[in-house]
Amino acid sequence: MPIDEYDPSCAFPGVIGRTVGESKPAWPRPVRAKAGAPNVLFIVLDDTGYGHLGCYGSPIRTPNLDRLAANGLRYSNIHTTALCSPSRSCIVTGRNHHANAMACITEGSMGYPGANGNIPFQNGFLSEMLLTQGYNCFALGKWHLTPTQQCSAAGPYDRWPLSRGFERFYGFMGGDTSQYYPDLMHDNHQVAPPATPEQGYHLTEDLVDHAIAYIADAKQIAPEKPFFTYFCTGAMHAPHHVPREWADKYKGMFDDGWDAYREKVFARQLQMGLLPPGTQLSRLDPDVQRWDTLGADERRLYARAMEVFAGFLEHTDHHIGRLLDYLDKDGHLANTLVMVVSDNGASAEGGPHGSVNENLFFNNVPERLADNLKAIDELGGPKHFNHYPWGWAWAGNTPFRRWKRETYRGGASDPFVVHWPKGFKARGEIRHQYAHLVDLVPTVLEALGVAPPAQIRGVTQSPLHGVSFSHTFDNAAAPTRHTTQYFEMMGHRSLYHDGWRAVCPVPGPSFAEAGMGFGELTLTEEKLRELDAHGWELYHVAEDFSETTNLADKHRDKLIEMIALWYVEAGKFDVLPIDSRGVARLAEERPQISPDRNRYVYRPNTSVVSNHVAPRVLNRAHKVTATARLEAGSEGVLLKQGGSAGGYSLFVKDRKLHYAYNYLGVQQFSVTSKAQLPTGAHELGFEFTPTGPADLAHGKGTPAHIRLLVDGKVVGEGDLPVTIPLDIGITEGLVCGRDPGSTVTDRYVGPFTFTGALEQVVVDVSGAVLEDKDAELRRHMAHQ
């Protein structure tokens, strides 16, 4: 007998008598998707430029993404916000990034409606919308949509993935992480990677494994139930981590340099029809050295950095292919609406010369060519946190100028592939209609026949800002529905309107031409008036696709119209105030879950504590005391902070107490107790006492004297000639009772869990903190 079901928002339609025999049951109807509803898969790459994928003219092999393009559509004219968190907020909400309170990365939030980093609940996520339509919703990989201060075990969790419509989450909360030792979260709790680099572990493979598992788990129970999977690799963001055999596939391919790369990719893009006839390659960037002016050693190192990046991208494509193969084998791919995009253009955050260990850069320690050449064969491995020079970022954004963080097309234009065999007939075609990331949500909803909800969990929803482009799927000549779009990123502004584009670069068209670097210009009212009068450029992108001919003087009336329209859009979407600050912006005081204090207590078997919320021990006196019971063979880590790229560890080994200090992976120091430790209950610790001034500008923290203590008595002491000046690092934090990930010292093998009875470890902090705000800016902006 069929079960009688009813809309749970309506009155009970059955009969309730005094007994079951006199009653008639009815059940609230479960939420079910429409019959034949397609699956939805978003694949979001990181820091991948317009000229990086094979199907966009690159020599880098991306056969799996290319097959999506060959059996689907490539869009030549889609735009991002030019930065990570803002772009991702557009992807999942269909609203502009300032309206999402995401003017910048969450670390750059400010106390204004358009910039506080808390995405409003009235801006529902696609996951929240599809959950009410009977979909399973899964998120994997990079998140970076929760304010940094809310990403600890103390929460709050209301802006974590599981509170925004996703039923499962496996990935990392911040802007970047090691591909070998990632800061992993599973649903709402921290987990360790399932294997080590020596066992072949890599994050991308792990993310794909979990994506397949999530989908398979659900499909074996309810094969007709569709899914929305938001799959966001940590690739191609730094660190560029990939097993050596993948990088070696590209040996010699980039020896002719970034100038040659641009020329070759540009020619392929024209041949493919991605670029309109007559498109010009953008100018030689004044901030990028000509390849033929570099020395032989520089060319060798820089070419290898690009080989590693290329191997990283092909490796990523390979594992995405595993996900696609699973979907195809199980019969799901044909009715899965797949959208592949990057969050912004290629990144120049490696600086003009690239980096082998970006933690040196964050700490004002210059990298020497000779030292980096010694690491050339290890690039891509777990020992380094490497990033290519910005010449390769410029080349990766071919044919456009500039890069990530800037609203020229190099920062704001990206590859975009759509694949849905059951949804449209077109195969291997190109679409040139203008679109923006805010258009993804309305396109999916229209394709699914779903109206944007008026309410989600009782919260009235704001209108979507994007428009659907599903009408272009089978109609190459369909008109563009998205006619106006503003851009603003840390003071760098632009506007698209009906085939025209106006750009106001900050601090200027290049750092060389501006005479200052990123974040160094502070906008005042006077300076803003000057920029609005003389700082805007104008491009007719309907005829000048790559922004090569500035028409600001020739069409002054059009430019004035565009500037006025930018301010109209800024008023609509909470863009003001315009803030080009770097140092001061990132140093803003923000609400904290718990204020700074002088005493922190940690216990074993608890989560890794992010360095964002760990005690600030650099350049200040501090004391660490562990309360533990020792047996004859007790050993292991009592407390550690950091990893192989820098940090400290207090541990017991060979019945002695040890303190190890790692200065940014360059030098290791240690202090050991003179006598063996007694068994029983004791207090074990160390005192760190500064013995001289720090030289932060030159990468040197305060020298220090270390005293090892047992029950308050000195059992060993020594000196640290130099310490970490500014940043222990973002990827490996503070842990009590073990050293997971890359170990601070090579004097033990991780995780070296303490085998005695460890009750707690107290970190007592005193003394003022020495700060370098310029380095703070670089550190935050590199983790986007």
Side-chain angles (χ1 to χ4, degrees):
M1 179 180 295
I3 294 175
D4 188 13
E5 297 179 345
Y6 67 97
D7 185 337
S9 65
C10 299
F12 176 68
V15 176
I16 300 177
R18 293 207 302 163
T19 66
V20 172
E22 297 171 323
S23 305
K24 180 182 178 182
W27 295 85
R29 184 181 304 115
V31 176
R32 299 188 183 96
K34 297 176 183 177
N39 307 301
V40 179
L41 171 61
F42 283 2
I43 298 174
V44 183
L45 302 172
D46 206 325
D47 291 0
T48 303
Y50 195 89
H52 272 152
L53 302 186
C55 55
Y56 278 76
S58 172
I60 301 172
R61 293 179 286 271
T62 54
N64 294 291
L65 296 177
D66 293 355
R67 66 169 155 141
L68 291 179
N71 290 291
L73 298 168
R74 280 172 295 169
Y75 281 75
S76 69
N77 206 10
I78 195 164
H79 293 73
T80 73
T81 71
L83 200 62
C84 165
S85 302
S87 286
R88 291 163 192 268
S89 78
C90 297
I91 290 171
V92 294
T93 69
R95 282 87 166 186
N96 283 310
H97 63 294
H98 291 88
N100 287 324
M102 203 65 74
C104 187
I105 54 173
T106 59
E107 294 86 347
S109 60
M110 300 185 298
Y112 302 100
N116 62 41
N118 292 278
I119 300 177
F121 295 115
Q122 60 264 33
N123 292 4
F125 282 27
L126 181 59
S127 47
E128 295 172 304
M129 301 175 197
L130 296 185
L131 199 64
T132 65
Q133 300 296 316
Y135 276 68
N136 282 129
C137 296
F138 311 128
L140 299 108
K142 177 172 173 175
W143 183 246
H144 211 197
L145 292 172
T146 301
T148 303
Q149 62 271 22
Q150 298 178 23
C151 289
S152 74
Y157 292 88
D158 56 350
R159 285 184 168 84
W160 285 44
L162 266 59
S163 294
R164 296 308 307 250
F166 291 104
E167 299 164 300
R168 303 301 308 274
F169 171 63
Y170 187 79
F172 55 101
M173 295 293 292
D176 69 357
T177 194
S178 168
Q179 300 292 308
Y180 297 112
Y181 301 109
D183 300 317
L184 279 176
M185 294 287 176
H186 201 167
D187 296 335
N188 273 0
H189 66 281
Q190 194 174 84
V191 295
T196 66
E198 293 74 22
Q199 296 168 322
Y201 179 83
H202 192 281
L203 177 60
T204 304
E205 181 176 5
D206 192 15
L207 294 177
V208 170
D209 288 346
H210 278 80
I212 293 172
Y214 285 173
I215 296 169
D217 283 349
K219 288 291 187 181
Q220 67 185 358
I221 305 301
E224 74 290 340
K225 187 174 185 177
F227 63 78
F228 166 46
T229 297
Y230 177 63
F231 182 84
C232 305
T233 68
M236 300 304 296
H237 197 291
H240 297 162
H241 277 164
V242 71
R244 179 171 178 170
E245 59 268 23
W246 290 87
D248 284 351
K249 291 183 176 186
Y250 290 89
K251 275 193 172 181
M253 184 173 289
F254 306 109
D255 287 355
D256 52 359
W258 41 64
D259 303 293
Y261 180 101
R262 293 182 83 231
E263 295 286 349
K264 288 184 287 189
V265 171
F266 176 62
R268 291 192 191 103
Q269 290 171 337
L270 282 171
Q271 184 180 25
M272 288 175 168
L274 281 164
L275 312 180
T279 298
Q280 300 297 310
L281 184 60
S282 59
R283 68 173 186 163
L284 297 173
D285 195 290
D287 289 332
V288 177
Q289 288 179 277
R290 294 294 299 267
W291 188 260
D292 58 13
T293 68
L294 299 172
D297 284 342
E298 290 174 300
R299 292 197 299 268
R300 185 162 65 94
L301 179 63
Y302 298 170
R304 182 57 178 175
M306 186 59 186
E307 291 169 7
V308 172
F309 177 88
F312 191 18
L313 180 52
E314 183 177 349
H315 175 269
T316 302
D317 177 88
H318 168 77
H319 286 290
I320 289 173
R322 291 175 49 233
L323 175 57
L324 299 176
D325 287 345
Y326 158 72
L327 294 175
D328 195 18
K329 183 178 179 181
D330 273 24
H332 306 310
L333 186 60
N335 198 29
T336 297
L337 173 55
V338 182
M339 293 184 171
V340 183
V341 75
S342 177
D343 56 1
N344 44 245
S347 170
E349 287 149 352
H353 309 296
S355 177
V356 167
N357 175 7
E358 66 175 23
N359 213 29
L360 293 170
F361 176 70
F362 302 149
N363 283 282
N364 289 340
V365 178
E367 294 186 62
R368 297 188 305 171
L369 179 63
D371 292 335
N372 288 354
L373 281 169
K374 293 176 183 177
I376 193 169
D377 292 330
E378 297 175 330
L379 295 183
K383 186 177 179 180
H384 301 291
F385 208 97
N386 48 289
H387 196 305
Y388 57 25
W390 61 24
W392 289 121
W394 172 60
N397 293 323
T398 303
F400 305 119
R401 62 197 298 178
R402 304 302 284 174
W403 41 58
K404 174 182 177 180
R405 295 190 311 220
E406 301 184 17
T407 68
Y408 284 118
R409 294 204 64 186
S413 292
D414 271 282
F416 180 56
V417 176
V418 180
H419 181 271
W420 186 19
K422 282 193 176 180
F424 54 79
K425 298 177 181 178
R427 298 289 185 269
E429 298 181 14
I430 297 173
R431 297 290 181 263
H432 300 291
Q433 290 85 355
Y434 186 94
H436 186 274
L437 292 178
V438 294
D439 299 330
L440 270 62
V441 167
T443 300
V444 169
L445 293 180
E446 184 169 89
L448 271 54
V450 173
Q455 290 188 336
I456 294 177
R457 297 175 189 161
V459 178
T460 300
Q461 294 295 288
S462 65
L464 298 180
H465 300 151
V467 293
S468 172
F469 52 81
S470 65
H471 67 297
T472 69
F473 287 169
D474 273 319
N475 185 359
T480 296
R481 291 178 179 170
H482 197 135
T483 57
T484 304
Q485 179 63 45
Y486 82 93
F487 298 82
E488 189 278 332
M489 189 51 60
M490 299 192 77
H492 203 289
R493 294 177 287 161
S494 57
L495 178 89
Y496 170 83
H497 180 66
D498 282 341
W500 291 82
R501 207 163 186 273
V503 184
C504 186
V506 168
S510 69
F511 303 143
E513 290 162 300
M516 64 180 75
F518 170 75
E520 294 181 13
L521 173 66
T522 298
L523 283 179
T524 61
E525 178 62 28
E526 181 180 5
K527 183 63 178 179
L528 186 59
R529 289 179 183 275
E530 177 188 332
L531 286 173
D532 282 344
H534 306 292
W536 286 83
E537 302 165 4
L538 181 67
Y539 302 96
H540 193 193
V541 289
E543 299 177 358
D544 178 19
F545 190 73
S546 52
E547 295 179 333
T548 59
T549 304
N550 181 8
L551 302 174
D553 292 335
K554 186 175 181 180
H555 293 286
R556 185 69 182 170
D557 54 341
K558 170 59 75 172
L559 179 62
I560 292 171
E561 173 194 339
M562 297 283 282
I563 296 171
L565 185 54
W566 186 92
Y567 277 101
V568 170
E569 297 298 292
K572 285 182 186 177
F573 300 115
D574 288 332
V575 178
L576 303 177
I578 304 167
D579 190 356
S580 64
R581 296 177 302 159
V583 173
R585 179 170 184 164
L586 293 169
E588 287 263 334
E589 292 292 328
R590 299 178 177 90
Q592 300 294 317
I593 303 304
S594 178
D596 284 343
R597 54 194 186 276
N598 288 330
R599 187 174 185 270
Y600 297 76
V601 180
Y602 298 100
R603 301 189 184 278
N605 303 315
T606 53
S607 299
V608 177
V609 177
S610 165
N611 288 322
H612 287 301
V613 293
R616 302 184 68 184
V617 298
L618 300 182
N619 304 308
R620 68 193 308 181
H622 57 275
K623 180 178 180 180
V624 171
T625 305
T627 302
R629 177 173 289 277
L630 300 173
E631 304 297 338
S634 296
E635 66 175 2
V637 172
L638 300 168
L639 189 78
K640 79 98 185 188
Q641 186 173 1
S644 62
Y648 66 88
S649 178
L650 178 69
F651 62 97
V652 175
K653 184 180 180 182
D654 299 328
R655 298 190 64 186
K656 291 188 176 183
L657 184 63
H658 304 263
Y659 172 84
Y661 195 90
N662 184 324
Y663 174 67
L664 299 171
V666 176
Q667 290 178 280
Q668 291 188 20
F669 308 100
S670 63
V671 180
T672 300
S673 62
K674 296 178 180 178
Q676 292 187 340
L677 297 174
T679 58
H682 298 283
E683 289 189 341
L684 314 172
F686 71 87
E687 288 180 342
F688 177 107
T689 304
T691 56
D695 185 0
L696 304 184
H698 295 93
K700 296 180 179 180
T702 175
H705 184 68
I706 302 299
R707 300 201 308 167
L708 294 179
L709 305 172
V710 175
D711 299 326
K713 296 181 180 179
V714 178
V715 297
E717 53 190 318
D719 292 306
L720 302 179
V722 64
T723 60
I724 299 169
L726 296 160
D727 186 14
I728 289 180
I730 192 171
T731 59
E732 296 187 78
L734 180 147
V735 189
C736 179
R738 65 193 192 282
D739 187 353
S742 68
T743 57
V744 169
T745 175
D746 55 16
R747 300 186 65 191
Y748 55 74
V749 176
F752 202 42
T753 303
F754 185 66
T755 58
L758 179 58
E759 179 183 339
Q760 66 177 29
V761 178
V762 176
V763 180
D764 196 298
V765 183
S766 62
V769 182
L770 296 174
E771 298 177 312
D772 183 325
K773 298 300 185 182
D774 289 315
E776 283 288 299
L777 165 66
R778 293 195 300 272
R779 179 172 70 88
H780 282 300
M781 291 309 300
H783 298 305
Q784 305 166 47

